[in-house]
Amino acid sequence: MAGMRSVGSLNGSRFSGGDCAETRPFSSACGRAFLVLVKVVSEKAEREIATYEAERRLDGSLRALAANMLRVVRGAGRAYEFSGQMADVLDAMQAYRDAAGVWPSDQQLSSALRLREPDYLETLPEHGQDRFYAERSIVRGALQIAASELLGQQTQKAAGRGRVAPGAPGLRARRGSDACGSGARVH
């Protein structure tokens, strides 16, 4: 690399300036190399931002569709919104592919719909955490029962019942007080 000298770094990436001499540390050749590097870094940052925004849009559209479907399954919801919501999901998936260069992974899609623990869970007293986990067990079991019932899968439906049953005693044990200990009845 005769005639090349390192001019500096940006984001940990070294760049060279072609015929940059000690007496001309930022000659026009050096300036062009720097501008090319800045452009590459800028384009990468823009792509990362676009991918992030597309992923947030996809997460939101998936959650809206899933929540509406769950409400329709339980007897409420707005089934007439399905086609628009499905189109939003497909548009968001295409926007993600355009931004990231790949389709969203199974893990990304699953993560968007996965039930999460709330940030405040660690701050709850032990009985509040117990109540949360009992409710979560019941919710997961009920979701499994509903999905299995839609598909006529009796074995899976029974497994869902097995998830609901362990959560029920945890709620009954705390029936006289809510998660914060205020004494409010749970219905």
Side-chain angles (χ1 to χ4, degrees):
M1 294 188 116
M4 298 281 284
R5 102 168 164 76
S6 178
V7 176
S9 69
L10 183 63
N11 274 354
S13 301
R14 301 290 299 171
F15 57 93
S16 300
D19 292 327
C20 298
E22 293 287 333
T23 59
R24 297 179 303 137
F26 209 76
S27 68
S28 62
C30 294
R32 283 191 300 275
F34 177 76
L35 291 176
V36 167
L37 180 61
V38 168
K39 182 178 178 186
V40 168
V41 170
S42 175
E43 288 171 355
K44 182 179 178 188
E46 288 173 14
R47 187 172 56 249
E48 288 174 354
I49 291 168
T51 299
Y52 175 81
E53 289 173 353
E55 187 172 6
R56 298 287 63 87
R57 178 178 168 209
L58 178 58
D59 287 359
S61 62
L62 277 171
R63 286 173 170 267
L65 174 60
N68 191 28
M69 285 185 166
L70 290 171
R71 289 183 179 114
V72 169
V73 168
R74 78 173 176 94
R78 299 177 173 138
Y80 62 87
E81 291 182 359
F82 285 168
S83 59
Q85 290 175 321
M86 287 182 219
D88 289 345
V89 169
L90 292 174
D91 289 345
M93 289 182 85
Q94 184 63 53
Y96 180 88
R97 186 180 193 297
D98 292 346
V102 296
W103 292 106
S105 69
D106 179 62
Q107 191 276 330
Q108 286 174 291
L109 298 173
S110 296
S111 178
L113 296 173
R114 190 167 294 123
L115 297 176
R116 294 173 178 81
E117 292 182 359
D119 294 335
Y120 62 83
L121 185 62
E122 295 290 324
T123 65
L124 292 177
E126 187 177 335
H127 68 276
Q129 291 180 20
D130 291 346
R131 179 179 180 79
F132 171 83
Y133 288 116
E135 286 176 352
R136 186 54 53 96
S137 177
I138 291 169
V139 166
R140 287 188 171 144
L143 288 170
Q144 185 169 353
I145 291 168
S148 301
E149 200 169 294
L150 287 172
L151 297 174
Q153 299 171 327
Q154 296 308 312
T155 304
Q156 292 297 320
K157 187 174 176 181
R161 284 191 188 117
R163 290 194 78 149
V164 170
L171 286 180
R172 279 195 291 268
R174 298 283 175 201
R175 191 148 176 93
S177 66
D178 68 6
C180 299
S182 68
R185 301 273 307 161
V186 177
H187 301 287

